[in-house]
Amino acid sequence: MSYSDLQQPIVMFDMDGTLLDLAFDDFIWNHCLPERHAQVHQCTLAQSQQTLFQFYQQHKHTLSWYSSAYWTAKVGVDVLQLQYEHREKIRARVGCHQLLQQLNAQGYRCWLLTNADRAGLQLKLENVELSPYFELMISSEELGHAKEDVGFWQKLQQQHPFDPAQAVFIDDTVAVLKGAKDFGITQLFSILQPSSSKAARLSTELPYPALDQLTELFDYLETNTQVTDAKTA
């Protein structure tokens, strides 16, 4: 890795809720899994929802939270299979491909950094064309830390050296953005409406600048001196 490579800006993207519509994951975890769990364990839907909600609260923001294998063992339902059964609902968010095409055309380096496990990442990539736009695609499972943990960013930098000052990171989860900030990334953006099945959040409720349309990011990059100067240096 040369010094010039380190100085080249990298636009880092989350996947679910940022590039892809989180409505799919909401549907799986809040609708499909409780129904299937109730069937398997012969309990009421309300009982299933209560049990799963308690599990969700216990493991939120941990590596286990994002593991299909963990949840399959925990709840006795093949969670990955459940996602494959409804894979036709996986959708890119509006402006996703337009933004990525623009960034590639302008010579920006793009990385995909997801908390989805490798099996989940593969599922999404089989249904939405993202691979051609990224020079690097990383699942937190590979690094042994969720993105909320500074350890994720430390491990990422060890394996793929980059300058945090030249990185832009977009994620819909505030806890993840905080982890990136604690590591030293300062150009951070959130997403106003990660899921089309839920109302948009208010920008005043979020501690980071939030994008309504993904393509708004390109306007920022083009007018941000720190990034554009580095890109042409």
Side-chain angles (χ1 to χ4, degrees):
M1 180 67 65
S2 68
Y3 176 77
S4 61
D5 288 333
L6 283 174
Q7 289 300 105
Q8 194 175 8
I10 301 172
V11 186
M12 302 174 172
F13 288 96
D14 168 50
M15 183 172 67
D16 300 311
T18 298
L19 293 177
L20 302 186
D21 191 341
L22 198 62
F24 172 77
D25 300 87
D26 289 340
F27 176 69
I28 293 296
W29 295 96
N30 298 326
H31 178 75
C32 295
L33 183 56
E35 285 190 345
R36 185 67 57 85
H37 180 267
Q39 293 169 1
V40 169
H41 296 283
Q42 297 184 324
C43 62
T44 67
L45 181 59
Q47 289 172 327
S48 176
Q49 289 170 331
Q50 183 178 14
T51 298
L52 291 173
F53 180 75
Q54 290 175 343
F55 289 159
Y56 293 168
Q57 293 302 109
Q58 290 170 7
H59 298 285
K60 197 170 185 179
H61 300 310
T62 69
L63 201 59
S64 295
W65 169 264
Y66 303 103
S67 170
S68 301
Y70 175 83
W71 285 110
T72 295
K74 180 81 171 175
V75 305
V77 174
D78 190 333
V79 175
L80 186 62
Q81 175 60 34
L82 194 61
Q83 294 178 71
Y84 268 96
E85 289 174 19
H86 298 280
R87 60 187 179 274
E88 77 282 352
K89 294 182 179 294
I90 299 171
R91 296 280 187 274
R93 292 187 67 246
V94 173
C96 168
H97 290 100
Q98 182 182 350
L99 173 61
L100 294 174
Q101 288 165 3
Q102 285 180 311
L103 292 175
N104 282 185
Q106 292 293 322
Y108 285 93
R109 301 172 65 193
C110 294
W111 290 7
L112 181 69
L113 309 176
T114 179
N115 269 330
D117 60 12
R118 282 171 288 202
L121 173 59
Q122 182 61 36
L123 165 66
K124 301 297 175 61
L125 295 181
E126 288 173 2
N127 290 275
V128 178
E129 188 176 45
L130 293 176
S131 301
Y133 302 106
F134 292 95
E135 68 172 38
L136 183 68
M137 309 182 88
I138 292 286
S139 161
S140 59
E141 182 181 19
E142 300 171 47
L143 301 186
H145 299 275
K147 289 186 296 182
E148 290 89 331
D149 187 342
V150 173
F152 170 92
W153 300 97
Q154 294 170 337
K155 196 76 170 290
L156 176 68
Q157 190 182 47
Q158 289 171 8
Q159 296 187 8
H160 306 279
F162 69 94
D163 180 1
Q166 298 300 329
V168 178
F169 178 52
I170 307 95
D171 198 293
D172 65 300
T173 303
V174 169
V176 171
L177 291 167
K178 184 181 183 302
K181 182 179 180 181
D182 290 345
F183 173 71
I185 297 175
T186 59
Q187 298 178 94
L188 301 167
F189 292 89
S190 190
I191 300 293
L192 280 183
Q193 190 177 18
S195 171
S196 63
S197 65
K198 295 181 179 179
R201 302 178 288 188
L202 297 175
S203 58
T204 52
E205 297 175 345
L206 298 169
Y208 302 96
L211 305 173
D212 183 17
Q213 300 296 323
L214 277 171
T215 48
E216 292 171 4
L217 179 69
F218 196 72
D219 296 332
Y220 165 81
L221 294 175
E222 288 299 283
T223 57
N224 184 275
T225 304
Q226 181 183 5
V227 173
T228 51
D229 283 354
K231 181 163 70 79
T232 57

